[in-house]
Amino acid sequence: MTHVIGPTGLAAALEAERPVRLLDVRWRLDLPEGRPSYVSGHLPGAVYVDLEQELANPGHPEQGRHPLPSHDALQAAVGRWGVDRGDLVVAYDDNDGVAAARLWWLLHRRGLDVKVLDGGVRGWVEAGGTLHSGDVRPRPGNAELSEAEPDAASIADTVRAALDGALIDARSPQHYRGTAPTPDPAAGHIPGAINVPTMAHIDAAGRLREPARIRRTFADAGAAGSVPLVVYCSSGIAAAHSALALAHAGVAARVFPGSWSQWSRAAGRPIATGPTPWGRVAAR
């Protein structure tokens, strides 16, 4: 099963008989409200998705900064986006697919055929695709989500992966080591985690690297063939992108959705700092 689609493939899909629902998931840590950029220029017919409000359940800091939305809330959002039964759903953003991967991760196990546009807005424009301005308000869609949940890991699963499999920290080395500023209560990483930044899987054009290159990156980090394999980041967004990269490479991984923002708020959870998995571990 393919989890990404390139601009050429998307252009062909838009010309085919099967309906395509385009979803614009523009979001980034320094610019969480992507609607102004969407209104200025989006792929033809694309509907804006608010990651903070529709792909998360705000107001539960004990679960991290981007807790998972409920099944009912996600079902209602899918209806608002105009997704119908049988549609091909293609999510994209302007941030190397990181935000769009959150939508993919939440929906791909729930009965929808959902893919991420490789290269995002930039790749579409560079391939000769046009952009439209304004807001798209579709009629309500009739797609129904299955009861399957995304493959989320709990804190207990995350601890087990660090001991018995591989726990991947998808953040930058500075955040992993605990030397970068953070909005969370503490800096550092989960003891035992291996640092493989999600940006390692993205080429200069903002596209996913070849599957063999992704597998080699994880193998070089010491995570080849590890089971269980759990990925986390700051708040569960970039980790979904790493899960997408792994799926693209044919490797199954679970995501710890609360990620560091939940771990650092949980009483008694130890914190490691420095460049190595176990580093300098401090109890709290």
Side-chain angles (χ1 to χ4, degrees):
M1 180 179 182
T2 59
H3 301 282
V4 298
I5 186 170
T8 301
L10 176 57
L14 291 170
E15 294 294 328
E17 293 184 4
R18 184 185 182 189
V20 178
R21 173 56 67 195
L22 292 169
L23 300 178
D24 187 308
V25 196
R26 284 190 236 197
W27 175 93
R28 58 183 70 215
L29 284 172
D30 61 343
L31 194 65
E33 176 53 73
R35 185 178 288 278
S37 295
Y38 160 81
V39 171
S40 295
H42 54 76
L43 271 65
V47 176
Y48 177 69
V49 175
D50 188 326
L51 185 147
E52 298 269 345
Q53 299 299 320
E54 295 180 301
L55 303 183
N57 184 22
H60 298 274
E62 75 284 356
Q63 298 175 26
R65 282 186 275 120
H66 293 107
L68 300 187
S70 69
H71 182 278
D72 289 347
L74 199 55
Q75 177 66 71
V78 166
R80 287 194 301 273
W81 303 333
V83 180
D84 285 331
R85 297 185 188 93
D87 283 359
L88 169 62
V89 177
V90 178
Y92 71 88
D93 58 39
D94 60 356
N95 190 27
D96 299 328
V98 173
R102 169 76 167 202
L103 185 144
W104 166 84
W105 181 71
L106 286 171
L107 292 180
H108 82 103
R109 288 166 52 93
R110 286 174 152 143
L112 299 185
D113 184 1
V114 55
K115 304 182 188 305
V116 171
L117 176 59
D118 209 15
V121 176
R122 177 170 47 143
W124 174 257
V125 172
E126 289 176 350
T130 61
L131 298 180
H132 290 184
S133 60
D135 199 0
V136 175
R137 300 282 183 171
R139 60 167 178 74
N142 61 22
E144 294 184 8
L145 301 181
S146 73
E147 294 297 329
E149 294 294 322
D151 204 1
S154 65
I155 282 187
D157 296 329
T158 300
V159 172
R160 189 158 48 249
L163 297 174
D164 301 329
L167 176 61
I168 303 298
D169 186 317
R171 298 175 299 164
S172 70
Q174 294 83 3
H175 283 97
Y176 174 82
R177 295 173 182 180
T179 59
T182 174
D184 298 310
H189 61 266
I190 299 174
I194 301 168
N195 189 209
V196 184
T198 200
M199 297 305 293
H201 316 309
I202 302 169
D203 68 15
R207 299 169 301 202
L208 281 176
R209 297 189 185 277
E210 292 297 317
R213 171 73 175 271
I214 293 170
R215 289 192 294 269
R216 186 167 68 251
T217 297
F218 280 98
D220 290 347
S226 298
V227 177
L229 179 59
V230 172
V231 186
Y232 79 93
C233 58
S234 291
S235 62
I237 309 302
H241 184 273
S242 287
L244 172 67
L246 283 161
H248 180 59
V251 180
R254 305 179 73 185
V255 170
F256 173 31
S259 287
W260 183 250
S261 62
Q262 182 179 9
W263 182 276
S264 64
R265 286 171 170 77
R269 296 293 175 183
I271 289 174
T273 54
T276 59
W278 294 100
R280 296 182 295 276
V281 179
R284 291 193 299 157

